Amino acid sequence: MFKGVNKELEKYFRILSKDIPDFLYEYVDTPEMQKQAGISVSCGTIYSKMFDHKFWYSTLDHSIAVALIIWNFTKDKKQTLAGLFHDIATPVFKHSIDFMNGDYEKQESTEELTTKIISNSEEIMKLLKRDNIKVEEVDDYHIYPIADNDTPMLSADRLEYTFSNGLGATECLTPNKQFWDTEKIKEIYQDIEIGTNEEGIEELSFKNIEKAEEFVHIMSKLSSIYIRNKTKYSMQLLADIMKKMSVRNIITKIDLYRLSEKEIIEKIENCKEDNISDVFNIWKNSTKINESEEKVNRKILCSG
């Protein structure tokens, strides 16, 4: 589970759950989960010089961390596996493909394949049968409010990506600076418990308002990073490249789910049609974008 993970991230995982159940290792080791190790949570932005990510953090890392949070609070195998599987259908460049599919807001367009991927996995189905768990009990983490819920409520998924992005998985506002370190995460995390919200639904909640405000303060800073123009433009560019290569039959939709980002990037950089490789390499080596309040007829990514 910790193969290739740096010491800081291993420490972070062990903060999320001191107890790591044996069954989790077995499910993590399946090909369908291991494939997620080749996909960054950065939605592809990690490949451009415009962004300064502190370390590689994969969709697999995120999924493991979500599962650990759920296990820590519930000790429920089904909920934990639902959290582990929630991104099993994630394609290369993550939410950039949602942009390609026109799903800019909810960014859930790829989740429809979750059931199919689980059901078609010989290894996962064998483990589920052994554990007497039905596919429908683990293929939709939305049914478990501790795993996922709507904002402004707090769930394991939202808690995890706020922690890991603040640790450095997403570029911070100041280069080489983290929003928080593992000790601060531990302090915040220990203030969380399961409570019942005003609608009578279980929800992760804070014991002290000061810690809640501290968490929300960092979360709001991270949210501003997610919606910066250079982030949105980069995701749209990758979506456009994927769409154009798909139309040209250079890649297939299946490739987006079967191949790693490294393998897809090799295809992009070797592509000789429509200046696709040139445009990608301009973006890859760019350090900034130029913006205008007026419409610009000739739009170019600039390499600062």
Side-chain angles (χ1 to χ4, degrees):
M1 186 182 294
F2 298 122
K3 183 179 179 181
V5 173
N6 64 49
K7 293 297 182 183
E8 186 175 32
L9 284 182
E10 183 173 347
K11 183 178 180 181
Y12 166 60
F13 286 148
R14 295 194 183 280
I15 288 171
L16 300 181
S17 182
K18 294 178 181 178
D19 168 30
I20 301 177
D22 290 338
F23 75 84
L24 196 57
Y25 290 95
E26 297 175 289
Y27 283 95
V28 167
D29 200 35
T30 58
E32 290 75 18
M33 288 305 306
Q34 286 299 312
K35 188 264 177 186
Q36 297 301 319
I39 298 176
S40 169
V41 298
S42 70
C43 302
T45 60
I46 195 171
Y47 303 108
S48 172
K49 292 180 180 177
M50 280 190 285
F51 303 89
D52 181 30
H53 299 272
K54 186 171 179 286
F55 52 77
W56 170 267
Y57 198 70
S58 71
T59 303
L60 177 61
D61 295 325
H62 165 65
S63 298
I64 291 171
V66 169
L68 291 175
I69 292 172
I70 296 170
W71 179 255
N72 178 69
F73 287 106
T74 70
K75 295 297 185 289
D76 185 284
K77 183 180 288 190
K78 294 174 184 177
Q79 292 190 53
T80 299
L81 289 176
L84 181 70
F85 293 147
H86 83 281
D87 271 345
I88 200 171
T90 298
V92 295
F93 307 136
K94 206 166 168 63
H95 292 306
S96 292
I97 304 305
D98 289 316
F99 274 47
M100 185 178 102
N101 296 335
D103 181 21
Y104 302 96
E105 294 186 3
K106 290 188 175 181
Q107 298 183 1
E108 296 175 348
S109 68
T110 62
E111 291 182 7
E112 63 188 35
L113 293 173
T114 299
T115 303
K116 184 176 181 180
I117 290 173
I118 294 173
S119 299
N120 288 344
S121 169
E122 182 179 342
E123 291 86 351
I124 292 177
M125 291 305 295
K126 184 177 179 180
L127 290 170
L128 290 177
K129 184 177 180 181
R130 181 202 66 187
D131 294 336
N132 196 29
I133 297 174
K134 298 176 182 178
V135 173
E136 57 266 30
E137 294 176 306
V138 295
D139 67 347
D140 181 9
Y141 81 137
H142 300 298
I143 66 176
Y144 301 114
I146 297 301
D148 182 64
N149 51 33
D150 294 329
T151 56
M153 294 182 286
L154 183 61
S155 64
D157 184 25
R158 196 165 299 112
L159 177 65
E160 197 295 311
Y161 68 65
T162 303
F163 278 158
S164 58
N165 285 340
L167 199 57
T170 293
E171 181 194 34
C172 296
L173 295 172
T174 305
N176 300 316
K177 182 178 175 60
Q178 298 166 289
F179 282 115
W180 42 36
D181 57 20
T182 51
E183 289 304 313
K184 175 54 70 173
I185 287 175
K186 183 177 181 180
E187 179 185 322
I188 296 288
Y189 192 59
Q190 289 179 338
D191 196 65
I192 295 174
E193 62 183 359
I194 291 182
T196 302
N197 64 26
E198 57 274 19
E199 296 179 0
I201 299 171
E202 283 192 331
E203 181 185 350
L204 296 180
S205 56
F206 288 91
K207 301 172 188 175
N208 298 289
I209 191 170
E210 294 81 9
K211 291 292 185 291
E213 289 175 341
E214 190 173 1
F215 178 81
V216 171
H217 177 67
I218 297 299
M219 192 174 190
S220 64
K221 286 188 174 183
L222 286 167
S223 295
S224 68
I225 290 177
Y226 303 153
I227 61 173
R228 286 176 305 175
N229 282 342
K230 71 174 184 178
T231 303
K232 292 186 291 186
Y233 295 160
S234 293
M235 291 174 68
Q236 186 63 60
L237 175 66
L238 291 171
D240 290 344
I241 289 174
M242 292 295 95
K243 187 171 185 177
K244 182 160 286 191
M245 290 179 70
S246 178
V247 169
R248 298 286 189 273
N249 294 317
I250 300 167
I251 61 171
T252 66
K253 185 176 181 179
I254 294 175
D255 289 335
L256 302 178
Y257 297 89
R258 180 176 60 87
L259 302 178
S260 68
E261 289 178 346
K262 180 181 179 181
E263 291 170 318
I264 289 292
I265 287 173
E266 287 178 0
K267 287 182 176 290
I268 295 172
E269 294 183 326
N270 290 326
C271 182
K272 304 303 180 184
E273 295 190 34
D274 297 328
N275 297 318
I276 286 174
S277 61
D278 293 336
V279 170
F280 179 80
N281 282 311
I282 289 174
W283 170 78
K284 180 180 176 181
N285 293 299
S286 294
T287 57
K288 67 176 183 179
I289 59 170
N290 290 334
E291 301 178 50
S292 173
E293 294 294 331
E294 300 177 1
K295 181 178 179 180
V296 179
N297 292 323
R298 190 165 178 262
K299 306 174 186 66
I300 303 176
L301 278 164
C302 298
S303 56

